[in-house]
Amino acid sequence: MIVEKIIILDFKAKEGNFFEFSPKSNIIHSESNTSGKSCLLKSIAYNLGLNVKKWPSGWDINNLIFKIFYDNNGTKGSIIRQKDNFWINDDKTSLSEKEYTQWLFKNFNFKIKLPLKNQKKYTDSYASAPLSLFYIDQDTSWKGIPYKNTVSLEWYESGSVPKTIFQYLLGISNDAIIELKEKEYNFKEKEKDLYNKISVLDSLKDKFISAPKKILIDPELWEEKANNFLTYTNNLIEKINDYTRKIFLSKEKLDKLLLEKNELDKIYENLGESYSKIKSRCTQCNSILTVEQSIQRMKICNTQIGIELYKNDLENKIAQIQLDLSNLSSMKNEIEKDYVLIFKKDSDDIKDINDYISQQSKEISNDQFLKINKELSTMLVENKKYQKLISKEIKELEKELESRESIIKKCFDSKLIYYKGKFKKMTSECKFLSFKRIKESGSVDNQSFFSLYMIYTNILMKYSIVKFPFIIDAIVKDELDDEISNLFYEELERTILNSKDQTIIALLSDKKNCFNNNHHYIELQKDERILKQDLYNLLESEIMSVISNN
């Protein structure tokens, strides 16, 4: 990818500007350190998808919108970014950061998967991951571990940044290996789960595996006795239920007769009074009735003899029902006693049956325990078998990539020897794709960082499967030795600026004299704002025509 132009708009301050770039070397320079060089470089990287860790004071990213015009092997397009929203090739549909990353990887025909922290589970990376190797920041790249602090990638496994990213870009790691490593990780997690389950089973072994007392029961004899017992007890239950029903019905009849007798007693007591004054209550609805109504309902003659005869008949019926109730209750009690006695009589048999059932349950439990334990053990063996196969396949694929890695490593070792000869104070702890914290300070620190960035940038230029502009902000960091500083700029031009790849670097104007060849220079004026009010309206249409829905 070649960045041809960038537009920057501050829509709150109504300011804007644009900058055009050469497809090869570009040097942004100014006489002072506060002219906006870093702002411009960070904006280019940010527009491409890199989440810049630290912005200069006064450069409020929330109020800024950017548009890059690019050329990708002859295909031209544009990328607009405002915070986490992207618009591609003047399409009015905005993309999220994740969607933009998918578009970027698809169009450049590559993808990077990185293991998540504390999980080793691989996930598709965001655009910041590959772009972090093409950007050297004056604020974050010159301390700690090289390439580690440029952007925030802390959610990935620490050892994978930047090593795994380099492996992808240099073509010495691929998706097939990553997918196998994901499977290997899943099998290892399953192995842990199986060991945990087996451990739990072992802790419960005494509860499941035991030798219970054998209870000898003839199943056929027991079945016959059980059937006889159930038949007899069911008959008793049916009789008890029948007597209970009869007792309920008899009590219901008795209650009705007692109510009628009560009404009749009231009529009999007040027989001498005027019929209109004699009142009673209906047994059905409890309403107040006249005597004539009560007598009509009970169908009796309105004479003292008729009332006396009917009353006598009621008393006889009541007495008979009460006798029947007494007999029914007695018979029910006798059957209930038989029911209790049959359980007492057969209690030993029932205990043996319960013990036998408990014994059978225990044996089933033992069998189930042994079955589960065997299944888990078999699964564990199979798991380890597959792990070995996957590990073997990973090694075979990695071996195929070893040839390319060996070539790149030789290039690294050769350049390392060169830079150690060039910069005597450079740290000796340098191995290919082994990124460690640089603990030295001052000149040793500067020489070590500079040399490693030159080596890896040159390797990316030569072997990377995808190309982005190399953006370098302040390649010389606080170097006080003029001789060493001049060597830095000499190597910067030889290694970076004279390459065929697009490079965009920033430096002070007085350092231009360090370079021999002609490069594309962009000068930022001292004490002038990088964004201009008079350019805002002209440039606004370039962006608003895309992001506006009108």
Side-chain angles (χ1 to χ4, degrees):
M1 173 190 273
I2 300 298
V3 173
E4 296 182 330
K5 175 182 174 182
I6 186 172
I7 294 174
I8 306 173
L9 289 182
D10 185 330
F11 51 83
K12 185 176 182 180
K14 303 293 184 183
E15 296 176 334
N17 208 341
F18 71 94
F19 302 89
E20 295 177 334
F21 305 97
S22 160
K24 293 187 178 180
S25 59
N26 297 270
I27 298 175
I28 301 168
H29 66 97
S30 66
E31 293 184 5
S32 69
N33 282 320
T34 57
S35 301
K37 298 186 299 298
S38 292
C39 292
L40 179 53
L41 289 180
K42 290 175 188 285
S43 296
I44 298 168
Y46 182 75
N47 198 161
L48 291 175
L50 183 127
N51 288 325
V52 175
K53 202 170 186 179
K54 185 178 180 181
W55 290 92
S57 176
W59 198 251
D60 191 345
I61 198 68
N62 295 310
N63 301 329
L64 297 172
I65 188 166
F66 309 88
K67 183 173 184 179
I68 271 181
F69 297 83
Y70 68 86
D71 183 331
N72 181 25
N73 292 324
T75 301
K76 295 183 182 293
S78 63
I79 303 168
I80 296 175
R81 181 174 188 181
Q82 206 286 310
K83 297 175 71 174
D84 292 333
N85 298 307
F86 294 81
W87 290 262
I88 306 301
N89 299 332
D90 292 341
D91 189 327
K92 288 182 174 291
T93 304
S94 67
L95 304 180
S96 66
E97 186 178 2
K98 182 178 181 179
E99 291 169 332
Y100 167 73
T101 297
Q102 292 170 346
W103 171 84
L104 186 72
F105 287 178
K106 180 180 179 181
N107 277 267
F108 284 85
N109 196 29
F110 82 108
K111 181 171 65 173
I112 294 180
K113 284 191 171 185
L114 297 174
L116 295 173
K117 184 180 287 185
N118 300 325
Q119 294 185 36
K120 294 187 178 179
K121 181 180 180 181
Y122 284 78
T123 183
D124 292 338
S125 76
Y126 282 87
S128 272
L131 289 170
S132 67
L133 304 188
F134 292 85
Y135 176 69
I136 299 173
D137 186 87
Q138 70 167 350
D139 296 314
T140 59
S141 299
W142 295 86
K143 56 185 176 182
I145 300 173
Y147 293 104
K148 189 87 169 180
N149 299 317
T150 304
V151 295
S152 296
L153 299 172
E154 65 274 0
W155 53 88
Y156 298 120
E157 184 68 28
S158 178
S160 67
V161 178
K163 181 178 178 179
T164 305
I165 305 173
F166 266 108
Q167 288 174 327
Y168 261 103
L169 294 181
L170 295 176
I172 54 179
S173 179
N174 59 34
D175 288 339
I177 292 177
I178 295 302
E179 287 176 8
L180 286 172
K181 286 184 176 181
E182 283 184 309
K183 287 184 179 179
E184 185 180 43
Y185 168 77
N186 291 332
F187 273 111
K188 286 181 178 179
E189 290 298 302
K190 183 64 176 177
E191 181 183 7
K192 291 178 185 178
D193 182 56
L194 290 171
Y195 272 123
N196 288 335
K197 288 179 178 178
I198 291 172
S199 176
V200 171
L201 278 180
D202 287 341
S203 68
L204 299 174
K205 186 175 181 180
D206 293 338
K207 293 182 180 180
F208 286 94
I209 303 298
S210 60
K213 179 183 177 182
K214 285 290 181 181
I215 299 169
L216 301 177
I217 288 181
D218 184 344
E220 292 182 0
L221 178 61
W222 174 80
E223 185 177 0
E224 183 182 352
K225 289 178 69 175
N227 288 334
N228 292 336
F229 174 81
L230 292 172
T231 301
Y232 184 70
T233 54
N234 285 338
N235 288 334
L236 291 177
I237 291 170
E238 287 179 4
K239 288 181 179 180
I240 291 170
N241 290 337
D242 185 54
Y243 282 122
T244 301
R245 182 181 58 81
K246 288 179 179 179
I247 289 170
F248 175 78
L249 294 174
S250 296
K251 284 184 176 181
E252 191 175 39
K253 289 181 181 179
L254 180 62
D255 289 340
K256 289 181 180 180
L257 291 173
L258 289 171
L259 285 171
E260 288 192 15
K261 182 178 179 297
N262 183 51
E263 291 180 6
L264 199 60
D265 285 341
K266 289 181 179 179
I267 293 172
Y268 188 78
E269 289 173 2
N270 298 289
L271 190 61
E273 297 183 16
S274 171
Y275 289 154
S276 61
K277 292 181 180 181
I278 296 174
K279 294 182 179 180
S280 181
R281 289 191 178 270
C282 176
T283 59
Q284 303 297 320
C285 63
N286 203 35
S287 61
I288 299 175
L289 306 174
T290 63
V291 172
E292 291 91 338
Q293 291 170 326
S294 294
I295 291 172
Q296 183 182 3
R297 183 185 60 78
M298 294 184 290
K299 296 180 181 179
I300 62 173
C301 297
N302 192 12
T303 64
Q304 187 174 8
I305 294 173
I307 293 172
E308 190 68 44
L309 289 172
Y310 187 69
K311 179 182 176 185
N312 186 66
D313 185 50
L314 280 177
E315 288 174 346
N316 289 335
K317 288 181 179 179
I318 289 170
Q320 184 60 49
I321 291 175
Q322 287 174 336
L323 179 61
D324 291 343
L325 277 172
S326 178
N327 291 334
L328 287 170
S329 296
S330 297
M331 295 172 73
K332 180 185 175 186
N333 290 337
E334 290 299 320
I335 294 172
E336 286 176 340
K337 288 178 182 178
D338 289 344
Y339 187 79
V340 173
L341 287 173
I342 191 67
F343 273 96
K344 288 183 177 179
K345 178 183 175 183
D346 294 335
S347 61
D348 290 339
D349 288 341
I350 293 171
K351 183 177 183 302
D352 285 345
I353 291 169
N354 287 335
D355 290 344
Y356 179 74
I357 293 172
S358 177
Q359 171 190 300
Q360 294 300 307
S361 299
K362 203 89 171 179
E363 289 179 0
I364 292 171
S365 177
N366 290 351
D367 292 342
Q368 190 68 15
F369 176 89
L370 294 172
K371 180 183 176 182
I372 293 173
N373 196 41
K374 183 178 179 181
E375 288 175 351
L376 290 175
S377 298
T378 302
M379 290 170 66
L380 187 60
V381 170
E382 289 295 314
N383 182 285
K384 290 183 176 180
K385 176 183 174 182
Y386 283 119
Q387 281 193 55
K388 287 182 179 179
L389 291 174
I390 291 172
S391 179
K392 181 181 178 182
E393 195 171 349
I394 289 173
K395 288 179 180 178
E396 288 175 353
L397 287 172
E398 287 177 337
K399 191 174 182 179
E400 292 177 10
L401 298 174
E402 280 181 4
S403 176
R404 178 176 174 85
E405 184 174 352
S406 177
I407 293 171
I408 298 174
K409 184 178 181 300
K410 286 180 180 178
C411 178
F412 174 87
D413 292 338
S414 173
K415 292 183 180 301
L416 182 63
I417 293 171
Y418 170 82
Y419 279 103
K420 282 186 175 180
K422 196 85 171 177
F423 302 107
K424 306 298 183 182
K425 293 183 179 180
M426 180 185 173
T427 180
S428 59
E429 297 181 11
C430 295
K431 294 181 180 179
F432 181 54
L433 296 183
S434 177
F435 296 92
K436 296 182 178 180
R437 182 177 299 278
I438 296 176
K439 300 177 181 179
E440 292 83 353
S441 60
S443 184
V444 177
D445 182 83
N446 287 341
Q447 292 178 38
S448 299
F449 271 109
F450 176 83
S451 299
L452 288 173
Y453 285 137
M454 290 298 100
I455 293 171
Y456 280 110
T457 298
N458 187 260
I459 286 176
L460 286 171
M461 287 178 168
K462 191 172 183 180
Y463 296 105
S464 178
I465 61 175
V466 61
K467 294 292 181 72
F468 293 104
F470 288 90
I471 302 171
I472 303 172
D473 187 7
I475 196 66
V476 179
K477 183 70 174 175
D478 301 328
E479 180 55 56
L480 301 178
D481 188 323
D482 289 338
E483 182 180 352
I484 296 297
S485 179
N486 290 332
L487 284 176
F488 282 172
Y489 287 110
E490 179 185 316
E491 285 302 313
L492 177 63
E493 183 174 42
R494 187 186 69 84
T495 303
I496 306 299
L497 297 177
N498 289 344
S499 71
K500 296 179 180 180
D501 295 82
Q502 185 180 39
T503 55
I504 307 173
I505 70 169
L507 46 76
L508 292 172
S509 297
D510 61 356
K511 300 301 180 183
K512 289 196 303 179
N513 298 327
C514 297
F515 305 131
N516 296 321
N517 295 338
N518 292 324
H519 307 287
H520 179 241
Y521 289 94
I522 299 173
E523 183 177 7
L524 301 181
Q525 298 299 320
K526 181 181 179 181
D527 299 329
E528 285 189 15
R529 292 179 61 81
I530 187 174
L531 302 182
K532 316 293 184 183
Q533 288 186 343
D534 57 349
L535 291 175
Y536 181 80
N537 291 331
L538 176 66
L539 299 173
E540 182 188 29
S541 60
E542 286 270 14
I543 293 176
M544 290 303 297
S545 62
V546 178
I547 67 173
S548 175
N549 293 320
N550 297 328

